[in-house]
Amino acid sequence: MQHFDLAIVGTGSGNSIVDERFADWNVALIERGTFGGTCLNVGCIPTKMFVHTAELAGTPAASAALGVDSELHGVRWTEVRDRIFGRIDPIAQGGRRYRIDGSPNVTVFEGTGRFVGEKTLTVTGQGAAEQTITADRIVLAAGSRPVLPAVPGMADVGVHTSDTIMRLERLPERMVIVGGGFIAAELAHVFGSFGTEITLVTRSGALLRQEDVDVSRRFSELAAGRWDVRFDQTITSVERQGDLVRVHSQGPDGASCAEGEVLLVAAGRVPNSDLLRLDRTGVRTHADGRVVVDEYQRTDVEGIWALGDLSSEHQLKHVANHETRIVQHNLLHPESPRASDHRFVPHAVFSAPQVASVGISEQEAKIRGLRHVTAIQDYADIAYGWAMEDTTGFCKLIADPEDGRLLGAHIIGPQASTLIQPLIQAMSFGLDARRMAREQYWIHPAMPELVENALLKLPLPG
Ligand SMILES: Cc1cc2nc3c(=O)[nH]c(=O)nc-3n(C[C@H](O)[C@H](O)[C@H](O)COP(=O)(O)OP(=O)(O)OC[C@H]3O[C@@H](n4cnc5c(N)ncnc54)[C@H](O)[C@@H]3O)c2cc1C
Ligand SMILES: NC(=O)c1ccc[n+]([C@@H]2O[C@H](COP(=O)([O-])OP(=O)(O)OC[C@H]3O[C@@H](n4cnc5c(N)ncnc54)[C@H](O)[C@@H]3O)[C@@H](O)[C@H]2O)c1
């Protein structure tokens, strides 16, 4: 049995813990899937590479309204796909090789890590003998995986999830997407822009339901104009007939059936805590499977930390990265531990339009009984919005009327993921919305004037 100073389960964010400061630590790195984890291989990076390409494909259709006639002659799917994975796969392979051949203090175990004792793990890989290791400290960075709703037929018809959909052999003519959250919104945009007919089947009454109510409503209206969106559906069964997959559901207008060559299920992700046999060590989980951690990312067992999708409320890479840096610091400096900062966690949905958000929504402000004021600034009323002929996008701000602090910021429209950044900064550093608007220049006539005008519209005294 080998003993280590540190064992890390998962090579997504977990892989970046070990840098030169750990050179004299004997480290075990355990990975059951593709080296590099979700973001690199099947998540943020490939999806955004596809989104960028989708935007190019969508440009001719959008430019006619501005008097520019161009035509999309086609999307060479296999070339698009192979450019993206031709870039990503070597990075994952290079990362694995670096850890196996170029990191003398790191031993890579390829297989599934499971606890058999408080600080003892077995690693079971395909075709390899089971190995048992012990470690003084353990970091659990095992991430999450897609869930398939328990519906008759769902497990038998050969569904795709975000893990497989981006590597299809050919572009489907019709695709059914189950779900109405991040992945559904982004991948409907990607495949829809490439010419696939999209039917979205979702159980809720709106898409991106976790967003501020005005943003979710606007996104849902625009999506319904672009794709066949079926709201408030309870899926009753899924079946395959020849080349077609059929999704049967029950909704406000009765029974309906959505069909396509491909079914993408984007119905949320569950933490991989069930794979770890945590009962053998004493690490507790929440009811939804997330590992329980304190603000220092410590689990209930001394010397075992957890981070990222495995333990976080936010399944976001920038959160996993932040928590990784916290764990890294706390491993190296146990005498002066740092706490994670989850006060203002932003996110963006890279669909069309883009959506970005930080802080609380108006509905949350009301539910929590917070005093608040709001302001909405349309892209249509700023100079760059005229340039783009944008008629649907807006920035919505929520602020505390007493001290002018921003409580929430929500943008739907072009470059929302970039425009939100100064608002994240203002909230993180406690900047008063009035000072932020007036005590700096805003480049004219650039898109951030959207933010400037939204700030100026807040009904704040002074
Ligand atoms: C399609 C998609 C798009 C996304 N886009 C974005 C985005 O644009 N922006 C954003 O912020 N976030 C995005 N995310 C979320 C982001 O990818 C995750 O929040 C992030 O990758 C989580 O990192 P992690 O290190 O916690 O887990 P992971 O990167 O999932 O790493 C966990 C690793 O642990 C391994 N593992 C699990 N169990 C075991 C075990 N028992 N033994 C050994 N190994 C194990 C897994 O194989 C995996 O490699 C996206 C996710 C998806 C699915
Ligand atoms: N841009 C980004 O940051 C980004 C992009 C993709 C994914 N992610 C992360 O990955 C996570 C998972 O994404 P996701 O889209 O799978 O989950 P999600 O939680 O965003 O959305 C799940 C959707 O599926 C619907 N749903 C669930 N069960 C259903 C059922 N039985 N029938 C019909 N609809 C059903 C829900 O109503 C919801 O609309 C996200 O929460 C996010 O944190 C982030």
Side-chain angles (χ1 to χ4, degrees), residues 225-295:
R226 203 172 161 203
W227 311 307
D228 176 356
V229 186
R230 303 183 187 178
F231 297 103
D232 294 313
Q233 300 295 312
T234 303
I235 298 173
T236 47
S237 67
V238 178
E239 59 171 340
R240 177 172 283 283
Q241 283 195 346
D243 287 344
L244 287 182
V245 180
R246 293 208 162 96
V247 177
H248 298 278
S249 62
Q250 196 72 38
D253 301 325
S256 75
C257 171
E259 58 180 37
E261 299 121 80
V262 168
L263 169 58
L264 167 65
V265 179
R269 293 173 65 85
V270 282
N272 283 326
S273 53
D274 57 334
L275 305 178
L276 291 164
R277 292 303 311 260
L278 295 172
D279 53 309
R280 310 266 180 91
T281 177
V283 168
R284 270 188 314 130
T285 57
H286 295 281
D288 60 7
R290 281 178 303 118
V291 167
V292 175
V293 288
D294 66 9
E295 70 267 43

Side-chain angles (χ1 to χ4, degrees), residues 48 149 178-183 186 203 235 266-269 315-316 348:
K48 269 77 253 184
V178 168
F182 281 71
I183 294 177
E186 292 185 351
R203 69 178 170 193
I235 298 173
R269 293 173 65 85
Q315 295 179 336
L316 296 166

Side-chain angles (χ1 to χ4, degrees), residues 117-376:
E118 194 185 60
K119 296 275 184 66
T120 308
L121 291 151
T122 57
V123 184
T124 322
Q126 273 188 349
E130 184 173 281
Q131 303 189 65
T132 304
I133 64 169
T134 55
D136 294 333
R137 307 164 195 83
I138 298 175
V139 175
L140 303 176
S144 62
R145 64 179 187 277
V147 270
L148 294 189
V151 170
M154 186 68 91
D156 314 317
V157 296
V159 303
H160 284 273
T161 67
S162 51
D163 286 352
T164 54
I165 195 80
M166 290 178 269
R167 296 203 188 230
L168 287 176
E169 274 312 315
R170 60 182 197 85
L171 197 58
E173 278 172 30
R174 289 189 292 166
M175 179 185 290
V176 181
I177 303 180
V178 168
F182 281 71
I183 294 177
E186 292 185 351
L187 291 178
H189 166 46
V190 167
F191 285 98
S193 302
F194 289 168
T196 298
E197 215 177 281
I198 304 287
T199 307
L200 267 176
V201 183
T202 184
R203 69 178 170 193
S204 52
L207 302 180
L208 303 183
R209 214 179 28 149
Q210 82 287 0
E211 300 296 337
D212 180 271
V213 64
D214 288 326
V215 171
S216 168
R217 190 180 301 127
R218 179 61 52 86
F219 187 86
S220 303
E221 289 161 6
L222 294 170
R226 203 172 161 203
W227 311 307
D228 176 356
V229 186
R230 303 183 187 178
F231 297 103
D232 294 313
Q233 300 295 312
T234 303
I235 298 173
T236 47
S237 67
V238 178
E239 59 171 340
R240 177 172 283 283
Q241 283 195 346
D243 287 344
L244 287 182
V245 180
R246 293 208 162 96
V247 177
H248 298 278
S249 62
Q250 196 72 38
D253 301 325
S256 75
C257 171
E259 58 180 37
E261 299 121 80
V262 168
L263 169 58
L264 167 65
V265 179
R269 293 173 65 85
V270 282
N272 283 326
S273 53
D274 57 334
L275 305 178
L276 291 164
R277 292 303 311 260
L278 295 172
D279 53 309
R280 310 266 180 91
T281 177
V283 168
R284 270 188 314 130
T285 57
H286 295 281
D288 60 7
R290 281 178 303 118
V291 167
V292 175
V293 288
D294 66 9
E295 70 267 43
Y296 303 105
Q297 302 299 137
R298 295 182 301 207
T299 69
D300 286 341
V301 178
E302 163 95 48
I304 303 185
W305 287 262
L307 61 88
D309 283 13
L310 184 71
S311 53
S312 182
E313 280 179 66
H314 312 279
Q315 295 179 336
L316 296 166
K317 181 59 174 165
H318 41 273
V319 176
N321 286 343
H322 170 77
E323 294 175 357
T324 300
R325 288 190 290 270
I326 293 296
V327 169
Q328 198 179 38
H329 172 91
N330 293 347
L331 285 166
L332 290 165
H333 306 285
E335 70 297 343
S336 56
R338 282 187 192 150
S340 288
D341 181 354
H342 294 129
R343 287 171 308 144
F344 305 110
V345 174
H347 65 262
V349 186
F350 296 78
S351 186
Q354 277 192 7
V355 166
S357 165
V358 57
I360 61 170
S361 59
E362 188 173 2
Q363 62 267 29
E364 267 177 271
K366 284 181 182 158
I367 290 167
R368 285 161 59 176
L370 297 176
R371 58 183 184 205
H372 65 280
V373 289
T374 64
I376 292 188

Side-chain angles (χ1 to χ4, degrees), residues 35 90-103 108 110:
F35 208 91
I91 298 175
Q93 287 150 11
R96 175 175 173 273
R97 279 262 68 84
Y98 170 69
R99 284 305 184 203
I100 291 174
D101 299 333
S103 308
V108 175
E110 293 184 301

Side-chain angles (χ1 to χ4, degrees), residues 408-459:
H410 311 274
I411 304 181
I412 176 168
Q415 299 297 336
S417 59
T418 306
L419 290 174
I420 197 93
Q421 195 63 45
L423 294 161
I424 301 168
Q425 191 170 352
M427 288 174 74
S428 303
F429 294 101
L431 189 55
D432 180 318
R434 292 159 292 201
R435 292 195 56 207
M436 182 183 177
R438 299 195 184 114
E439 295 182 21
Q440 64 177 325
Y441 280 105
W442 295 82
I443 293 173
H444 180 72
M447 257 199 266
E449 285 188 339
L450 179 81
V451 173
E452 180 196 15
N453 287 336
L455 289 164
L456 290 170
K457 273 192 177 172
L458 279 167

